[in-house]
Amino acid sequence: MGVQATQIFAPATSLAVPAGLPVDSLPHPAADQIELAAVLHALSDPMRLQIVVGLAAGDQRPCGSFDLPVTKSTCTHHFKVLREAGVIRQRLEGTTRLNSLRRDDLEQRFPGLLDSVLRAAAA
Amino acid sequence: MGVQATQIFAPATSLAVPAGLPVDSLPHPAADQIELAAVLHALSDPMRLQIVVGLAAGDQRPCGSFDLPVTKSTCTHHFKVLREAGVIRQRLEGTTRLNSLRRDDLEQRFPGLLDSVLRAAAA
């Protein structure tokens, strides 16, 4: 049930990015490979919950737009955990990672779960 | 938001237990002290999810009644994580710990959350 076993690597695309950087190759699980334990683990950290709440408004946001009281590398780690669990999608635009919530995928896989977590986080 | 800060220690009762053992003094958070991140963390392990699904039928069950492929000490650890997060209640009966799901407390604190997790676990 680990995240490792369920990661699906998205095929590289022709996005123009600076030489030496990976070409939009951030790993995301496919919707039907998203695992409950991994999602709950991803949501079980207060910082990551805050990120998810921030993305729930619907916009794509760069990592730096979240005012979190942690170092940049810790912040990057939190986004990676969320992405690998299937909670968020990260899209490279140049050297920026744009983040969005995989609301539809999560709702399809685990109906009602994300909404109940968002309600609980707002309570 | 840690579990440590939110634990409320239940007052000792007059339960008759062998000398030298704690008298029904297992720590449980009060219902209004249950933290979302701690609950999600407690539910983010496949073994603990299995325990919660098993308790959802409604009966009080001793730890040993769960056929989990882990050592006894690991099993004890999983029940402790669930108890300290406020997901289950553990009651001492002699030297046996009887476990029950804190369904009402969780529903009051985070409406719909437990049910959506149970549905997801069954999917």
Side-chain angles (χ1 to χ4, degrees), chain A:
Chain A
M1 222 163 163
V3 178
Q4 298 301 326
T6 63
Q7 287 174 1
I8 304 294
F9 288 78
T13 71
S14 59
L15 255 190
V17 293
L21 284 184
V23 184
D24 195 18
S25 61
L26 298 170
H28 292 82
D32 62 355
Q33 300 288 320
I34 296 174
E35 294 285 350
L36 177 60
V39 169
L40 294 173
H41 170 69
L43 297 173
S44 71
D45 178 275
M47 291 295 124
R48 293 197 291 267
L49 264 179
Q50 199 175 322
I51 293 168
V52 168
V53 168
L55 291 174
D59 295 333
Q60 288 191 53
R61 291 176 57 177
C63 304
S65 74
F66 291 85
D67 190 21
L68 301 176
V70 292
T71 63
K72 193 175 173 212
S73 67
T74 300
C75 202
T76 302
H77 167 74
H78 284 321
F79 279 95
K80 181 168 180 272
V81 171
L82 288 166
R83 185 188 75 239
E84 291 185 345
V87 176
I88 68 169
R89 193 169 291 283
Q90 287 195 298
R91 190 169 63 81
L92 287 174
E93 194 161 284
T95 56
T96 300
R97 293 182 180 192
L98 288 175
N99 305 282
S100 57
L101 198 55
R102 294 180 67 176
R103 192 186 270 276
D104 291 347
D105 288 342
L106 289 168
E107 183 60 23
Q108 177 197 322
R109 185 96 170 107
F110 307 123
L113 179 63
L114 181 64
D115 281 342
S116 67
V117 170
L118 289 173
R119 271 198 310 273

